[in-house]
Amino acid sequence: QRCCVCGQSGATIMCCMEDCDRWFHLPCAKEGGCVNQYISPFSSFCSEHRLEQEVEATPEPDTVCPICMEPVEDRKTFTTLVCPTCKRRELYLDCIQ
C-alpha cells in the first residue's frame, strides 16, 4: 500500500473510518497529522478523519506539560490535549503517546 503522507509503498496502517482508503507508515503518522490510539480497540485515523477533543479549555498563562515540563501553547492545537479527567491540565500529545 502507498503511504498518504510520504507517497512511498509499504504502508501498513489503514485509517479505520469506513470507506477511507488512506494508508500510512507508523513513522509518518506524526508528520502527517495521523493519530494512532494505543488503547483497545487500537484504532488509527488519517489526518482527515482524526478525532478531535470536545473539551473547550484555554490554558492559563505559564502552563507547562506535567510530563515534559515544557510550556504549553496558549491556544488549542493538534499537539496538545486537555486532561479528560480534570479538564484543566494541558498535555502534549507526544508526551502521552
Side-chain angles (χ1 to χ4, degrees):
Q1 297 294 327
R2 191 160 302 283
C3 177
C4 65
V5 178
C6 73
Q8 299 295 315
S9 62
T12 57
I13 302 172
M14 182 178 83
C15 178
C16 69
M17 294 301 288
E18 193 172 319
D19 297 326
C20 183
D21 61 352
R22 292 180 182 211
W23 290 73
F24 49 94
H25 299 108
L26 182 59
C28 295
K30 180 180 171 186
E31 179 185 331
C34 305
V35 174
N36 295 301
Q37 291 184 326
Y38 297 105
I39 55 173
S40 186
F42 303 102
S43 302
S44 295
F45 301 89
C46 69
S47 59
E48 184 178 326
H49 297 115
R50 68 181 179 217
L51 304 175
E52 290 190 20
Q53 209 172 15
E54 294 180 12
V55 175
E56 290 298 326
T58 303
E60 295 178 18
D62 302 321
T63 299
V64 296
C65 173
I67 299 171
C68 69
M69 302 306 290
E70 293 292 324
V72 177
E73 296 180 50
D74 61 353
R75 61 187 172 84
K76 183 179 176 183
T77 68
F78 171 68
T79 61
T80 59
L81 296 172
V82 175
C83 174
T85 304
C86 72
K87 302 199 182 354
R88 291 178 292 146
R89 181 57 92 181
E90 294 280 328
L91 308 151
Y92 278 112
L93 179 64
D94 285 349
C95 292
I96 294 172
Q97 290 197 345

